[in-house]
Amino acid sequence: MSKYSDGLTYGFTESTAPPVRETRIGVCSAYCGSCGDLIDDLVSGCAQLQARKFAQSGGCQLTLALGIVSSLTNVVVIIHSPLGCGSAFLGTGGMRKTMRMSKGKRDEDFVWIHTNMDETDVVQGGIEKLRGALLYAEKEYHPEAIIIGNGCVPGIIGDDIDSLALELQGSLSAKIVPVHCEGFKSRYVASGYDAAYHGVLRHLVEPVQYNERVLPDEGRDAMERYRISQTVNIFNVGSNSNSDEVELSRLVSALGLYPRVLPLHASMEDLAHIGDAALNVSICATHDDYLLGHLKERFGTDYLIDTLPIGVTSTNRWIRLIAEFFHLENEAERLIGFETRELEAALAPFREKLAGKRCYVGGGELRIITTAEFFATSLGMDLVGVKAHNIDRFVEELLENLHPTDLNVTVGAGQPAEELNVLNQLKPDLYIGHSGANGWASRFGVPNLPLFGQSLNYMGYSGAYELARRAAKVLKNTNFVKNVSRNVGIPLSRVWFEQDNRENIKETEKAG
Amino acid sequence: MSEFIERAKFACALGGAISTLTALPKVVPIVHAAGGCAGYLSNTYSMAAGYKGSGFCGGSMLPTSNIAEQNIVFGGEDRLAEQIEHTIFALDGDLYVVITGCQVEIIGDDSISVARRYRDRNVIGASTPGFLGNALRGYDSVLSSIVEDVVEPAGTRDPLTVNIFGAVPGQDVFYRGNLDEIKRLLGLIGIRANTFFATGENVASIKSYGAAALNLVLSPAAGIAPAERFQEVHGTPWLQTELPIGPSGSAVFLRQAGEALGVDRITVEKAIRAEDAAYYSFFERIVDIYSDLDLQRYAIVVADSYYAHPLTRFLANDLGWIPYLTAINDIEEADAQAAYTERFRDISSETKPLIVYERNAGRLLEIVRNSRPRNDNRKYYDALEPAYVVGSVIERGLAEKLGAGFLSVAFPVSNRVVLNRGYAGWTGGLALVEDLLTGIVASR
């Protein structure tokens, strides 16, 4: 079902920590050039060996790992590190609340604890503080799981958090889940997803043990088996909204299947039943091939890792592939025909406003390529360039379908200096970017739209409509960016803007 | 040794260093650490400090050496040097400050020496690994380096100029508004104040801070180290003072500063009288509603030591609320706790507050509940009501559970957007009354 993961092997859950993506999948994280050149250089392997002379801050895998596990219901997260790692919860704790409310889940305080490692702990180790924090979490909150996010400091000094977890496992009612997401170990921050799911797989995914019925009921058993045979697990991601999940569930239901959205915001009970499905469907390969690959091994559940259902083409493709698995091709074509007819008509007024406008898209690889394709194909916009955090095997085919082949492509997480240099040359009318990047586009005077949002719909047909609607809305008044760019400076030098971004790239010996 | 903390209201030292440096115009931090630290920590303050944003060169714009596993093995000094050279090329700054993360400090990179090689190109360095402590340690570290390497020795002292330390950008969500008001306050009695971060200040003006006659430290927990460094390097004495909020606090502050700098008392008292008169000419507007609706509240203050006493004093001495409980989250040593508790002797209400030191945010609900007899379904019960919680956004849950009003003032503040608002001075006192009482009448 998933040619992009062909040749990838799983079976890492016997180890305490997963391999990083640099070694497991291979990645290009620094590149400036054209789409065609990038495809060639990926094949020859030199794209994977590039790095930057002038680097700006990208992400940290701990952030991504904690983003996954902190969403789970009734958990306490312990960050085994100094106070900085995980500190962004101070600003995003409220977002968890919003998300739970939008999903109709019970409100609960999100609790996190820092072991607050200091200079003494660097020398003596921090295991005893971690023990104290675990006992405190158990006593004060009685969570179902306590998740330990391991930071760089204990990673470097070699604190053995797994032995402590093993030691306490029997004496606490909470399951203890060590997550090895030390930032320095990987520049490919999506390694953090593997780290999180590694912990989930090792400690939280336990098949439910069913007892035999006292009174046998074959009819009911058959119905249950049938239901499972028609159940599709849709694997959500931190960047999707509840309205995305509602739309994707609607489409899966329309095929006559039973959708179930996992694993973010799931309860321990939900996770226990993760194996009760016929097909596991990814909406973003960057997030979950590690989880889906391992679930296949453990439960035998087939999985689909392909495109991200943003825009008409990708949504159609996503539906067709799911339908194909269940031999529902005709149903899929009927659904697609109906939906696209309605959507195309609804998009017409926006196409009128947006056609011919120049757009540039930056962010995670799958999201940007599918979003860019939608703006170009469905709305007739002139795609002038894309910037991806990383490029790996999961987008090779999508890259080949990007036009034209001399399309400007930058690969790098963050790196607004290079991005603004590109924007300066390409002068797009609309920039669609990852959080953290849009503010710089604003300061640079380029009208912009966030690439994802917790309360916005991007996926499926309704998401395509919303995306078009919002793009057209942004261009209805561009005074904000005009005023900001005239009055708020950016720190980049004149000589930087005169330099070709390729000058900033260097060859390294080690991949990643 | 420090303890674990539930929902710590601080980032680490590197986070404080980044938040401090990005609050200075045309200052470029160069973060020698793993690639994610810089943007992540900047984001903590960008979001959780009333959406203060990236600043001049923060967020994803932050230059970083982006070291990885191979540097942990072989050292990262060469990579840092490369990053410094290319940063100077790419970014226009008046000052570049190399700051360090945990990884490079553990492996023993001498980052400050690498920075010194570029001293002639306005590069300095400060050691700021996360394990040094909370964000206040990062503020202390970078300001100490600026005091030593940027502030120039002054030929002559200006007897009526002071430098202000202790207002940590981001950690004080309202630092800009507060510092602008502090400048205004001191200006009332003829004192010129340098604050690093107030409107109009920059690297050029910071160079001249050596001419100050005195350094004032607003916080018991931040700013003392750079003030001491200042004394060592430039011979300038420092004085511990406090964030002045509202009429009572501002009067104490002006008298303290005036006395230290030899401003005559008549000038000081005249200024205080004029400000009091102006304050009460506005405050008068809420007298009717306050009295008719009985807007007096039991006040629960949950804050760091920078805000806890000043807020409590304002609520008790100026607004007339009942100071019920004040919880301080950042003082661990028993002696320091006792010294801080002494400050509350100036609370002039008939009822004095219960002072607790609690680093774990989740413990407060139980502390409040245990502070008085439980209801036990009694027919007549002297409830803690009407109550009002002034804390950080994390105390929203506490306020909800107590059925109390709520305003976030202390970091983190993610439920408000803050631009030039401040709570310092007489102006800030009025702003605080507006915000507190707006919370009560918002649904009318």
Side-chain angles (χ1 to χ4, degrees):
Chain A
M1 277 303 285
S2 300
K3 57 190 172 188
Y4 302 111
S5 54
D6 280 355
L8 289 180
T9 55
Y10 299 95
F12 297 111
T13 50
E14 291 300 310
S15 331
T16 52
V20 294
R21 288 220 180 164
E22 283 92 334
T23 50
R24 187 173 73 80
I25 293 182
V27 62
C28 161
S29 49
Y31 198 85
C32 298
S34 74
C35 187
D37 289 346
L38 173 60
I39 292 167
D40 293 344
D41 289 343
L42 282 168
V43 172
S44 74
C46 34
Q48 291 88 330
L49 291 174
Q50 298 197 348
R52 292 189 154 78
K53 299 171 191 166
F54 171 66
Q56 292 173 294
S57 190
C60 171
Q61 63 154 328
L62 176 133
T63 322
L64 280 64
L66 294 186
I68 300 288
V69 290
S70 67
S71 78
L72 301 175
T73 298
N74 197 13
V75 298
V76 169
V77 173
I78 297 177
I79 300 139
H80 186 39
S81 212
L83 292 175
C85 310
S87 62
F89 283 140
L90 290 167
T92 58
M95 284 167 62
R96 184 178 189 272
K97 192 183 173 86
T98 316
M99 195 64 190
R100 289 188 69 85
M101 280 164 67
S102 72
K103 293 173 76 75
K105 289 184 185 271
R106 193 173 59 81
D107 186 24
E108 55 176 40
D109 272 349
F110 172 51
V111 177
W112 71 95
I113 301 170
H114 276 94
T115 54
N116 185 21
M117 291 184 78
D118 60 16
E119 281 181 291
T120 317
D121 304 319
V122 171
V123 180
Q124 299 179 356
I127 284 295
E128 287 313 306
K129 274 166 103 166
L130 178 58
R131 182 193 302 274
L134 281 160
L135 297 176
Y136 173 88
E138 167 86 2
K139 177 168 167 285
E140 295 285 326
Y141 293 101
H142 316 291
E144 286 175 87
I146 303 173
I147 292 153
I148 306 167
N150 207 41
C152 288
V153 171
I156 296 172
I157 66 172
D159 269 359
D160 187 357
I161 63 168
D162 298 286
S163 294
L164 179 67
L166 202 64
E167 180 198 327
L168 291 177
Q169 196 72 73
S171 48
L172 303 189
S173 67
K175 292 175 178 170
I176 305 174
V177 185
V179 172
H180 288 271
C181 49
E182 305 85 355
F184 73 92
K185 282 195 178 160
S186 178
R187 282 178 179 156
Y188 189 173
V189 291
S191 292
Y193 298 132
D194 300 353
Y197 289 135
H198 188 84
V200 168
L201 283 160
R202 272 169 65 84
H203 301 282
L204 300 179
V205 175
E206 286 169 18
V208 184
Q209 300 297 321
Y210 291 102
N211 296 324
E212 250 177 68
R213 290 186 197 280
V214 180
L215 299 173
D217 186 341
E218 278 183 30
R220 240 171 124 168
D221 290 345
M223 273 168 66
E224 187 57 32
R225 280 196 303 276
Y226 174 75
R227 194 180 170 84
I228 291 173
S229 77
Q230 302 295 298
T231 294
V232 174
N233 282 337
I234 300 172
F235 285 76
N236 54 358
V237 298
S239 55
N240 73 242
S241 61
N242 185 50
S243 33
D244 289 335
E245 294 176 10
V246 169
E247 167 69 355
L248 296 181
S249 299
R250 178 183 76 88
L251 297 174
V252 169
S253 301
L255 293 172
L257 302 168
Y258 301 112
R260 186 170 55 176
V261 180
L262 286 166
L264 271 72
H265 313 286
S267 65
M268 296 303 129
E269 177 77 8
D270 296 335
L271 290 178
H273 286 279
I274 200 167
D276 297 344
L279 182 65
N280 287 333
V281 177
S282 165
I283 55 176
C284 177
T286 304
H287 281 76
D288 45 30
D289 85 286
Y290 192 83
L291 177 58
L292 270 52
H294 280 95
L295 289 175
K296 163 94 177 165
E297 286 183 346
R298 194 170 302 181
F299 299 102
T301 320
D302 279 307
Y303 60 88
L304 169 66
I305 295 178
D306 198 86
T307 190
L308 200 161
I310 283 184
V312 184
T313 315
S314 303
T315 303
N316 290 352
R317 180 180 166 110
W318 191 76
I319 291 173
R320 284 194 178 107
L321 287 166
I322 295 170
E324 192 187 320
F325 179 82
F326 292 96
H327 308 296
L328 296 167
E329 286 88 347
N330 291 336
E331 287 80 353
E333 291 313 317
R334 287 222 308 278
L335 173 65
I336 289 168
F338 172 78
E339 289 288 340
T340 47
R341 246 190 333 275
E342 277 199 340
L343 176 61
E344 289 300 331
L347 288 177
F350 303 125
R351 198 179 298 119
E352 217 170 276
K353 294 276 188 308
L354 296 169
K357 299 260 194 240
R358 297 161 67 79
C359 71
Y360 184 96
V361 189
E365 52 177 3
L366 277 139
R367 205 177 253 268
I368 56 159
I369 297 177
T370 50
T371 303
E373 188 277 337
F374 171 65
F375 278 109
T377 313
S378 297
L379 299 177
M381 293 183 80
D382 183 7
L383 178 66
V384 295
V386 294
K387 176 177 160 292
H389 288 340
N390 310 277
I391 292 288
D392 62 23
R393 60 193 293 151
F394 294 108
V395 292
E396 277 171 16
E397 187 181 322
L398 289 171
L399 264 186
E400 279 164 21
N401 294 333
L402 265 188
H403 297 288
T405 49
D406 64 346
L407 184 76
N408 187 300
V409 175
T410 303
V411 182
Q415 317 306 326
E418 285 177 14
E419 193 164 32
L420 292 186
N421 209 356
V422 172
L423 296 187
N424 190 40
Q425 289 154 22
L426 301 177
K427 309 239 175 327
D429 300 301
L430 181 67
Y431 170 86
I432 302 101
H434 193 273
S435 59
N438 295 300
W440 296 111
S442 288
R443 288 175 176 88
F444 205 59
V446 182
N448 56 80
L449 185 68
L451 181 68
F452 58 88
Q454 198 192 24
S455 52
L456 309 174
N457 182 198
Y458 286 81
M459 295 180 189
Y461 300 111
S462 64
Y465 179 79
E466 284 301 304
L467 194 48
R469 196 173 75 84
R470 298 183 74 92
K473 177 185 76 66
V474 162
L475 298 179
K476 285 180 178 176
N477 185 350
T478 56
N479 279 336
F480 176 78
V481 298
K482 282 181 192 146
N483 293 332
V484 167
S485 62
R486 276 189 213 121
N487 294 292
V488 179
I490 53 163
L492 291 166
S493 69
R494 189 179 45 78
V495 284
W496 172 261
F497 281 112
E498 288 164 2
Q499 178 181 274
D500 188 317
N501 276 346
R502 281 173 292 195
E503 297 284 317
N504 195 40
I505 299 292
K506 62 176 184 179
E507 298 290 323
T508 58
E509 286 164 14
K510 192 165 183 286
Chain B
M1 199 180 91
S2 61
E3 301 287 336
F4 69 82
I5 306 179
E6 182 205 329
R7 284 178 281 178
K9 292 162 182 169
F10 295 91
C12 62
L14 180 58
I18 289 170
S19 189
T20 300
L21 292 173
T22 52
L24 291 166
K26 300 214 78 176
V27 170
V28 175
I30 300 174
V31 182
H32 187 31
C37 297
Y40 183 82
L41 294 168
S42 177
N43 200 34
T44 296
Y45 287 98
S46 174
M47 303 281 283
Y51 301 91
K52 86 174 182 65
S54 300
F56 173 70
C57 187
S60 58
M61 192 60 85
L62 279 163
T64 175
S65 57
N66 189 14
I67 58 120
E69 195 144 25
Q70 62 265 35
N71 306 109
I72 301 291
V73 180
F74 299 111
E77 291 181 11
D78 291 346
R79 173 66 198 115
L80 173 61
E82 178 185 49
Q83 181 65 25
I84 293 172
E85 281 180 25
H86 287 89
T87 299
I88 295 168
F89 171 79
L91 298 171
D92 276 335
D94 291 340
L95 178 70
Y96 302 85
V97 186
V98 173
I99 46 180
T100 55
C102 297
Q103 309 88 1
V104 301
E105 293 280 350
I106 293 177
I107 62 171
D109 276 3
D110 188 355
S111 312
I112 294 177
S113 294
V114 176
R116 278 211 184 98
R117 285 187 234 152
Y118 301 89
R119 186 66 199 91
D120 59 332
R121 294 161 81 185
N122 298 319
V123 181
I124 66 170
S127 173
T128 58
F131 58 75
L132 206 60
N134 69 23
L136 307 181
R137 300 289 74 76
Y139 166 92
D140 281 351
S141 180
V142 292
L143 279 205
S144 296
S145 292
I146 288 173
V147 161
E148 190 164 328
D149 297 332
V150 178
V151 173
E152 292 168 355
T156 53
R157 285 272 158 76
D158 176 354
L160 287 177
T161 295
V162 296
N163 303 317
I164 307 288
F165 288 91
V168 180
Q171 202 64 50
D172 175 2
V173 176
F174 303 89
Y175 73 97
R176 274 287 296 278
N178 285 342
L179 289 174
D180 279 1
E181 172 72 359
I182 283 169
K183 274 178 102 99
R184 188 187 76 84
L185 290 190
L186 291 168
L188 295 171
I189 58 170
I191 298 173
R192 213 175 77 95
N194 303 315
T195 70
F196 292 93
F197 310 103
T199 310
E201 298 192 61
N202 53 39
V203 173
S205 65
I206 289 171
K207 285 181 181 165
S208 69
Y209 282 9
L214 180 69
N215 290 321
L216 297 178
V217 181
L218 294 176
S219 163
I224 294 172
E228 284 188 336
R229 182 74 66 86
F230 211 112
Q231 188 156 18
E232 287 161 27
V233 178
H234 304 284
T236 316
W238 64 275
L239 180 68
Q240 174 81 69
T241 163
E242 210 171 23
L243 179 70
I245 297 179
S248 308
S250 304
V252 170
F253 178 74
L254 282 192
R255 288 186 187 119
Q256 199 183 8
E259 193 184 315
L261 290 175
V263 179
D264 78 275
R265 285 183 61 175
I266 296 164
T267 307
V268 174
E269 294 308 318
K270 229 174 109 181
I272 292 170
R273 272 200 305 280
E275 286 293 309
D276 275 348
Y279 175 90
Y280 279 99
S281 75
F282 286 106
F283 190 80
E284 185 268 338
R285 294 172 62 131
I286 57 104
V287 170
D288 293 306
I289 187 91
Y290 187 105
S291 309
D292 285 338
L293 297 185
D294 180 16
L295 294 186
Q296 187 189 49
R297 294 291 184 264
Y298 286 102
I300 296 169
V301 175
V302 184
D304 47 27
S305 55
Y306 172 80
Y307 266 117
H309 173 257
L311 279 173
T312 307
R313 178 174 56 193
F314 175 77
L315 296 174
N317 296 8
D318 294 312
L319 189 57
W321 283 11
I322 302 138
Y324 181 74
L325 182 141
T326 296
I328 299 114
N329 61 27
D330 64 342
I331 304 182
E332 291 189 13
E333 307 283 327
D335 290 353
Q337 290 181 352
Y340 194 77
T341 301
E342 276 296 299
R343 294 187 179 202
F344 290 85
R345 290 171 72 99
D346 66 358
I347 300 300
S348 58
S349 51
E350 288 82 349
T351 299
K352 310 296 178 195
L354 177 65
I355 310 296
V356 297
Y357 294 87
E358 179 55 61
R359 64 182 198 280
N360 297 311
R363 298 267 311 122
L364 286 171
L365 181 65
E366 204 184 329
I367 289 172
V368 174
R369 284 184 175 155
N370 288 342
S371 67
R372 54 204 292 113
R374 303 261 172 153
N375 182 329
D376 293 333
N377 225 9
R378 265 174 288 181
K379 183 173 175 187
Y380 296 106
Y381 176 65
D382 180 12
L384 181 63
E385 193 273 318
Y388 204 109
V389 175
V390 182
S392 75
V393 71
I394 289 175
E395 278 66 49
R396 178 168 51 193
L398 174 72
E400 280 167 5
K401 286 170 190 128
L402 293 173
F406 170 65
L407 182 70
S408 57
V409 173
F411 181 82
V413 174
S414 61
N415 61 333
R416 304 176 62 185
V417 170
V418 177
L419 297 175
N420 66 348
R421 202 162 203 66
Y423 291 134
W426 281 270
T427 315
L430 291 172
L432 188 49
V433 175
E434 282 179 358
D435 294 342
L436 289 166
L437 301 192
T438 295
I440 297 177
V441 301
S443 60
R444 285 169 81 96

